[in-house]
Amino acid sequence: MSSLSGQHILLGVSGGIAAYKSCELVRLLRRAGAEVRVVMTRGATGFVTPLSFQALSGNPVRCELFDPEAEAGMGHIELARWADKVVIAPASADLLARLALGLADDLLATLCLATTAPIAVAPAMNRVMWEHPATAAHVESLRGRGVTILGPAEGEQACGEEGPGRMVEPQAIIDHLAAIPGPLEGVRVLVTAGPTREALDPVRFLGNRSSGRMGYALAEAARDAGAVVTLVSGPVALPAPQGVETVRVEDARQMHEAVMARIGGVDLFIAAAAVADYRPKAPAADKIKKTHEGLTVELVRNPDILAEVAALQEGPFTVGFAAETSDLEAHAREKLERKGCDLVVANRVGEGLAFDQEENEVLLLWRGGSEHLPRQPKRALARQLIERIARRYAQD
Ligand code: C5P
């Protein structure tokens, strides 16, 4: 799997003849499995039309900061958060100067201030402009702030001169972006997902409404962030994610066994499964017949996988889920303490959220803080959660 697969790349295009090469860059990025959104400066639109980038990227192209219609779709702060990586190609002398000064006088410069994603720039300009002390100072200042400067290459220039100032080739930009480590690079992650089924007899079980979507989306987002992921899943209708070792189980005791057999060496444990707390004490060997008016089934407790993993000496960083119908924060805080985990993702059940739904909205809690992540599709939410989890894991 390409390391750009599933990544969100924000491509900034500024005014310069090399803008035509960025069309090829978009094509290559998409071929590598990345999702691309393009933002153009006004100067860039003089060289290539927004429509070209829109057709190539498959997403609307933005040029203006104060565009009410575009802001209603994905606001500029949302766009800055969306990006896993920002690349500006070509980067003009003017854009480098504005970035170095921290100006926010157009959409692209504003996004560069508002994002926490790594930024790379591929300068392209006349060689005298590149060698000008003002440009050199801006480039140094950007480098000092962690911006990667790709090139420029030397050679024949569009203006007829010879020297440094040509934009590096799209493939070199792709190679750089692919080599930037993700926030969970090399981290070993184990995710549980889906419901469990607790047998009553050979054909019936006690279960719940979990579809497994949130856990599967988390496993995929962790993989895209560079992690080595194992997914232990209860029975769901979802295909095993590519590039993720998937272990299928049926009931809570099998899930417990599968997790404990693999937990050694795991750095991060995410318990997204809706594990049954109880199971029938003695499942019937044969199908239960309706010979009586009533039926009483004795239930016994299942092992609490999350609590057991959280109690391990030298165990992994643990993330639990709390599905609540009332007093969300209070119950989730109590769970954080009782289970001894490092983070709790709390969601309200019902109102079209959480169980067996496409969308979710959560409250993330840890000792000493919390953050609300608004209602959105589970895949988008999973990416945000993995980004937050990675941050807290790194601080641990
Ligand atoms: O105990 P409760 O079900 O409220 O806690 C939910 C959290 O604990 C989830 O993260 C769930 O995956 C985990 N859990 C577990 N094993 C159980 C029950 C819950 O890992 N037996």
Side-chain angles (χ1 to χ4, degrees), residues 200-392:
L200 279 160
D201 68 16
V203 294
R204 303 185 182 94
F205 58 83
L206 292 179
N208 61 68
R209 295 182 195 282
S210 168
S211 66
R213 266 184 231 137
M214 194 67 224
Y216 275 59
L218 283 163
E220 287 171 348
R223 172 202 65 197
D224 293 344
V228 180
V229 185
T230 301
L231 175 64
V232 176
S233 169
V236 295
L238 303 170
Q242 268 188 37
V244 170
E245 187 206 352
T246 305
V247 183
R248 304 225 187 232
V249 297
E250 178 98 4
D251 63 28
R253 283 188 297 176
Q254 290 167 359
M255 185 173 276
H256 174 256
E257 201 183 308
V259 168
M260 297 323 282
R262 291 167 177 79
I263 204 71
V266 165
D267 304 302
L268 176 55
F269 178 61
I270 303 177
V275 188
D277 292 324
Y278 295 93
R279 67 176 181 277
K281 183 175 181 186
D286 295 311
K287 190 178 169 202
I288 301 169
K289 302 282 179 212
K290 50 174 180 295
T291 45
H292 298 91
E293 269 314 298
L295 177 67
T296 305
V297 178
E298 191 181 345
L299 301 178
V300 291
R301 278 291 286 269
N302 270 328
D304 190 318
I305 307 169
L306 173 59
E308 205 171 311
V309 170
L312 289 173
Q313 296 274 336
E314 320 253 321
F317 186 92
T318 49
V319 182
F321 274 68
E324 305 290 347
T325 48
S326 64
D327 290 336
L328 186 68
E329 176 152 7
H331 281 129
R333 279 230 175 268
E334 185 270 329
K335 198 160 293 182
L336 182 75
E337 291 313 326
R338 178 166 48 82
K339 300 219 181 197
C341 46
D342 298 292
L343 260 178
V344 165
V345 181
N347 46 222
R348 208 177 296 284
V349 185
E351 299 162 26
L353 293 168
F355 278 53
D356 202 19
Q357 298 293 329
E358 292 290 346
E359 294 198 322
N360 209 356
E361 166 186 352
V362 300
L363 181 68
L364 197 56
L365 294 151
W366 59 95
R367 284 173 199 85
S370 68
E371 184 183 356
H372 173 248
L373 300 179
R375 182 176 185 142
Q376 55 194 305
K378 283 182 175 172
R379 268 172 176 278
L381 184 64
R383 296 182 70 89
Q384 279 194 17
L385 274 170
I386 286 295
E387 197 261 326
R388 306 304 197 277
I389 291 169
R391 223 188 288 162
R392 301 221 69 82

Side-chain angles (χ1 to χ4, degrees), residues 11-14 19 38-51 53 61-64 106-108:
L11 169 65
V13 182
S14 63
V38 179
V39 171
M40 303 174 78
T41 64
R42 199 164 295 171
T45 60
F47 291 91
V48 179
T49 67
L51 199 58
F53 282 116
V61 171
R62 288 202 53 183
C63 304
E64 300 294 331
D106 72 354
L107 178 62
L108 183 52

